[in-house]
Amino acid sequence: MEKIAIITARGGSKRIPRKNIKEFCGRPILAYSIQAALESGVFDRVMVSTDDEEIGEIARSWGAEVPFMRSDRMSGDYATTAQVLAEVLEEYGKRGQTFGFLCGIYPTAPFLRPETLRQAMGLLEESGADAVAPVVRFSFPPQRGLVIRDGEIRMNTPELYLCRSQDLEPVYHDVGQFYCLNAESFGRQGCLVMEHTLPFVISELEVQDIDTEEDWRLAELKYRMRQGGE
């Protein structure tokens, strides 16, 4: 069964203008996702879903396909990643092309490695799961979190606050880099975290949300630190 990597890169970005093609450590940030997908050797097609001609041109220059543009309906702030992926599969279906597996990849994932995609897609195929999603463990136990109410600090879960950290259940959060999906399961369930979704645990050094300019600077520092250690 054929596999496709779908990199979702729309043109609009409110907090960081032109975020998906902004230069990150010497190249457009979108290029990192494209290269990881291509170098993984896993996918029969690596495409970019975009509504922006400039993004499309840059995507092609780095080796991705842009066989069609994203619809206006999928270009707004409220279109979900799952909806965008479903539209891409529908458009390929109209062209007589179907896929057994897909991987939705975000365009701001400069820490994503080819081997990570190989391992995650391999886990998806070998396990027969609906999906594989990358997660990272919280560095601080959320059970010890504090809230501010009426200007004063309160323990969010006071019954757990004094527990030893090693006695607390580990809690993870979504990495926000990619989702590996069984296409048939995705067609039925229509969501990214499906009934049988397996975790792919990633190091905190490989993860950074990039939503603000401060996030961007921190990500570049972390990326350079990682490169210096290799």
Side-chain angles (χ1 to χ4, degrees), residues 7-13 18 20 48-56 66 68-77 84 87:
I7 301 167
T8 58
R10 72 185 183 97
S13 178
R18 309 298 289 162
N20 291 331
V48 170
S49 168
T50 186
D51 59 338
D52 187 280
E53 292 291 349
E54 183 183 12
I55 291 176
V66 188
F68 44 80
M69 301 300 286
R70 188 184 300 190
S71 70
D72 292 341
R73 186 170 56 89
M74 290 293 117
S75 300
D77 294 338
V84 171
E87 180 182 72

